[in-house]
Amino acid sequence: MKNVLVTGGAGFIGSNFVRYLLTHEPNVHVYNLDALTYAGSLENLRDLPDPNRHTFLHGNICDQALVERVFRDYEIDLVVHFAAESHVDRSIFEPDAFIQTNVFGTFSLLEAAKRAWLDRSPPSSEVRFHHISTDEVFGSLHPDDPPFREDTPYAPNSPYAASKAASDHLVRAYGHTYGLPYTLTNCSNNYGPYQFPEKLIPLMILNALEGKFLPVYGDGKQVRDWLYVEDHCEAILLVLRQAPLGESYNIGGGNQPTNLEIVESLCDILDEVVPNSPHKPHRRLIRFVADRPGHDRRYAMDITKISTQLGWKPKHTLAEGLLATVQWYLENEEWVEAIRQRGDFKAWMQQNYAQRGERP
Ligand code: NAD
Ligand code: DAU
């Protein structure tokens, strides 16, 4: 593991992973290729532990020539592919970018890896393409269904999930057909520092701090399996170090709260940590709004494989992770304010609420 190409490393999980990797792998150099869409920011990469071992490359993964140049110029031997359009609501209103980045972008990276590593004599050894995927490719569970396993059939429901499923299939196909050395991880809902506040947890924290209403979709009884982002980073690094090629692993937090329970917990934490807030009790800000079309009811991950084979399990409980997350958003006002002021964020919030017949 020497020259690591991280795609999407200026986004939420990618930036946490870059920080984690530089901290735990003293001999790697990270080449961070990111298009800096609305979801990416160089502010997410401040205070890297060893910035000399990090090179930021501003560019689009769909740009085949650029991606090939990156492989060649920096002698990439490991890819950790995070770059994606990641927000389900946006994929419902505007799916185009999801197909472009998640499907064609992954294809472009796979082609570049194949040309750089396999179309030569002898083919490169000690190389790996690691693809970051999601539990959403498995579809939705009924209340009494067992959790998703690695061999659960794919049944993606949203344009986002379908585009991620397509990218997973492409990765497997490149492994099967061309012998591309790959591993793949499917993870559940992440939360923690640097998450863009269009997603449930940071949106609720920031709205509550401003006394804005807290929009809970439908009846709020949908269930997600929440994982603190640092635990996800730890699992990925373990897979990179120890997992046999051609394997996929499910990663999850092992908890099953409803969305409403998550929002209520955040309100209660805020009541405690901001005792003088004029918006207390924050639970009164909760408002049920129109549901997300095609909304998946329940996700849950069976993490037996990664636990037994690699010895991983999450370190943070949900209560610890939520408290740490609230504290991070309270302590990083500048980061939060910069996002609040961005025109593209304001425009999205207006569009999203308008679709639900609401105003922010
Ligand atoms: P994010 O939206 O916060 O970040 C995505 C990053 O990718 C941004 O920095 C963006 O600028 C970059 N990007 C987007 N399109 C690009 C392109 N065409 N070329 C180069 N860079 C581009 O996403 P995230 O939540 O950090 O998710 C990262 C990955 O993890 C995604 O593949 C996502 O599907 C997967 N995942 C996310 C979660 C979650 O809960 N957030 C859970 C499981 C899996
Ligand atoms: O499961 C993994 C997936 O988790 C990742 O692959 C995605 O990239 C990531 O965005 C996330 O998808 P979700 O749709 O589950 O996350 P989101 O934070 O958008 O929503 C979580 C739940 O909360 C979901 O049931 C919808 C609901 N919700 C969301 C928002 C933004 C609300 O009730 N109100 C809201 O305002």
Side-chain angles (χ1 to χ4, degrees), residues 197-217 263 266-267 270 277 279 282 285-287 289 329 336 340 345 349 352-353 359-360:
E198 63 188 349
K199 308 280 167 61
L200 181 76
I201 288 179
L203 177 75
M204 296 297 154
I205 297 171
L206 299 193
N207 272 12
L209 286 172
E210 283 193 295
K212 288 184 176 169
F213 79 87
L214 309 179
V216 172
Y217 296 169
V263 177
L266 292 170
C267 289
L270 283 166
S277 166
H279 311 303
H282 292 89
L285 298 171
I286 293 173
R287 191 191 295 177
V289 301
Y329 281 90
V336 167
R340 276 205 185 108
F345 178 60
M349 293 309 286
N352 187 21
Y353 283 82
R359 283 203 277 159

Side-chain angles (χ1 to χ4, degrees), residues 86 134-136 160 189 200 203 215 217 224 259 292 295:
S86 69
T134 168
D135 57 1
E136 302 206 9
Y160 163 71
N189 284 63
L200 181 76
L203 177 75
Y217 296 169
R224 297 291 182 267
N259 289 343
R292 172 186 278 176
H295 200 169

Side-chain angles (χ1 to χ4, degrees), residues 7-14 33-41 44 59-62 81-87 101-102 105 132-135 160 164 186-191 194-196 198-199 232:
T7 69
F12 162 48
I13 307 176
L33 176 62
D34 196 298
L36 295 180
T37 68
Y38 79 91
S41 168
N44 298 355
N60 196 313
I61 57 166
C62 300
H81 175 32
F82 293 92
E85 289 292 336
S86 69
H87 191 33
T101 288
N102 301 1
I132 303 293
S133 190
T134 168
D135 57 1
Y160 163 71
K164 290 297 290 185
N186 295 86
C187 190
S188 61
N189 284 63
N190 282 218
Y191 67 99
Y194 296 104
Q195 187 166 30
F196 194 79
E198 63 188 349
K199 308 280 167 61
H232 186 187

Side-chain angles (χ1 to χ4, degrees), residues 36-241:
L36 295 180
T37 68
Y38 79 91
S41 168
L42 293 179
E43 284 300 301
N44 298 355
L45 295 163
R46 56 196 177 149
D47 305 332
L48 288 180
D50 191 353
N52 292 331
R53 291 190 290 117
H54 173 257
T55 304
F56 183 75
L57 307 168
H58 187 196
N60 196 313
I61 57 166
C62 300
D63 182 342
Q64 182 77 49
L66 167 72
V67 174
E68 286 187 24
R69 213 163 48 240
V70 169
F71 270 82
R72 211 173 36 243
D73 289 356
Y74 302 113
E75 297 179 2
I76 300 300
D77 39 30
L78 172 66
V79 176
V80 189
H81 175 32
F82 293 92
E85 289 292 336
S86 69
H87 191 33
V88 175
D89 287 331
R90 288 185 192 247
S91 86
I92 293 167
F93 301 134
E94 288 167 357
D96 310 42
F98 288 74
I99 308 306
Q100 278 305 324
T101 288
N102 301 1
V103 184
F104 286 102
T106 302
F107 169 65
S108 145
L109 284 166
L110 289 166
E111 267 300 295
K114 173 176 167 288
R115 287 177 199 173
W117 295 341
L118 307 180
D119 296 350
R120 54 190 279 176
S121 185
S124 307
S125 56
E126 305 293 313
V127 291
R128 180 187 296 239
F129 189 106
H130 183 73
H131 183 56
I132 303 293
S133 190
T134 168
D135 57 1
E136 302 206 9
V137 297
F138 299 119
S140 183
L141 293 168
H142 294 291
D144 297 326
D145 286 345
F148 300 128
R149 293 159 36 109
E150 286 76 3
D151 56 5
T152 300
Y154 275 31
N157 286 321
S158 69
Y160 163 71
S163 68
K164 290 297 290 185
S167 68
D168 293 10
H169 290 318
L170 280 171
V171 173
R172 283 174 207 274
Y174 269 66
H176 183 82
T177 304
Y178 305 112
L180 186 83
Y182 79 91
T183 38
L184 197 155
T185 43
N186 295 86
C187 190
S188 61
N189 284 63
N190 282 218
Y191 67 99
Y194 296 104
Q195 187 166 30
F196 194 79
E198 63 188 349
K199 308 280 167 61
L200 181 76
I201 288 179
L203 177 75
M204 296 297 154
I205 297 171
L206 299 193
N207 272 12
L209 286 172
E210 283 193 295
K212 288 184 176 169
F213 79 87
L214 309 179
V216 172
Y217 296 169
D219 63 4
K221 291 191 181 145
Q222 304 83 6
V223 169
R224 297 291 182 267
D225 178 339
W226 294 96
L227 182 68
Y228 193 61
V229 63
E230 194 181 304
D231 288 333
H232 186 187
C233 295
E234 185 189 43
I236 296 167
L237 186 53
L238 209 55
V239 168
L240 297 176
R241 283 176 175 160

